[in-house]
Amino acid sequence: MNFGIYVEMQNPEQYKKPHAQVYREILEQIEHADKRGFSTFNTLEHHWFEEFSISANPMALYSAAAQHTSNIRFRTCSHVLPLHNPMVFAGQAAVTDILTGGRFEFAVGRGHAWVFPKASIPLEESRGRFVESLEIIEKALEEEVFSYHGKYYDVENVRVVPRPTKKPRIFTGGASNHNYELAGKKGWGVLITPMLPLEHVLGQLDIYRKSCKEHGNTPDIVYVQALYLDDGGERARKEAEPYILQFMKGNVSPAKELPPKEEMIKKDFGFYASGALESLADIPYQKLIDDEYVWVGSPDEIQPKVKKVIEACPDLSEIALLCTYAGMEHWKTIRTQDLFSQQIMPHFQENKEEALVRY
C-alpha cells in the first residue's frame, strides 16, 4: 500500500498567513514527506476563493519541490480544464514532467460551478470545453503533430513543445457518475475526495469497476483522508476540533457565490443546486469523527481505521492523507507525518521498493 500527502492550502481570514509563508511551509512539508517515504504529494488547482485554497499554480509548486526531493511524485487533484487553453496546458504539463524528472501526474475535472463566473466562462459551456480540452490534451501528449476541429477549439498542424519524457498518469473523480464511467473507459485512476467517508462513494466505485471491466482496464483507486495525529488520543481530539471545523467550513465557503439554483440545474450542475455540499459544514465535530469523515487520535487508534479502508476497498492503490489545516502550527503537520510514517505505515508497507514498483 502506498501513502501520500494531500494539501488544500486553505487560508481563511480567521487564520490568515502571508501567502509566501504558506508556500514556504508547504515546500518544507513536501521535502519532509519525501524523506519519510510518502509516495505522492497532492494538491488541487483552485482560484479566487482564499478560504478554500490559494493553490493557483500547482505545476510551479511541483517544479520547485522537485529540486529538493528524490522520490515523491506530484499529483494535481484536479486541473480545471475549461479554464485553460489546452494547447498551452499540454506544453506546461510537458515542462512540469521534465522539471520533476517524470514525477508529475494529474487529475482532470470540469470544475466547481462557482469558478466560471469569475473566469468569464458561461456555465453552459463548461461541459463542452472540458470534453474538447481533454481530447486535445491527450492528442498533444501522444502525437508529435495533431489537428482538432471542435466547437470551441479549431487548430491545424499543432506541435506542442517541449515533449514530455512520457505521458503522465491521468486521474479523475468528483461527484459525477459520468467521471467514473469515463475513467474506467480510459484506463485512468480515480480520486476519492477528503470530504466523504468511503461508504458514501462505494456506489460510484462500483460504476468505475464495471466500466474498467467492460473496457479491459485495471482499477486504480486513490482515497484521500483527513487526519490529525498525536501521541495521546484525547489530546488529539481536543486540539483538532477548530482545525477540522474550519476545514469543512472552508470547503463549502465558495458556495455563497454560486449561481441561482434554477440556472445550475438547467446548465448541468445539479449537485451544486442540491444543498448537499453546504450541509457538510453543519455536521457536528463528534459526528465527523464517529462517521469517519476525519480520523483523529493516536497512532494505535488510527491504525485499525487504515486497515478497515484497505480491506473494504479492493483495487485501492494509495491512501493520501490531509494533515495540514488552516490555523494549525506548521510543526504539527510535521508531527503527523512522523507519527504516521513511523508507527502506522510500516504495518502496511513492508518493502518500500515493492510499494513504489507500480510507479
Side-chain angles (χ1 to χ4, degrees), residues 198-199 292 303-313:
L198 180 63
E199 63 186 44
E292 300 191 2
Q303 183 183 325
K305 299 181 186 297
V306 177
K307 185 174 185 287
K308 176 183 172 182
V309 166
I310 293 172
E311 292 177 345
C313 188

Side-chain angles (χ1 to χ4, degrees), residues 35 37 120 149 157 173 235 239 258 261 292 294 316-317 326:
K35 293 175 181 177
S120 192
H149 306 289
N157 295 330
R235 184 169 60 247
E239 288 181 355
L258 283 170
K261 289 184 178 181
E292 300 191 2
V294 298
L316 185 67
S317 60

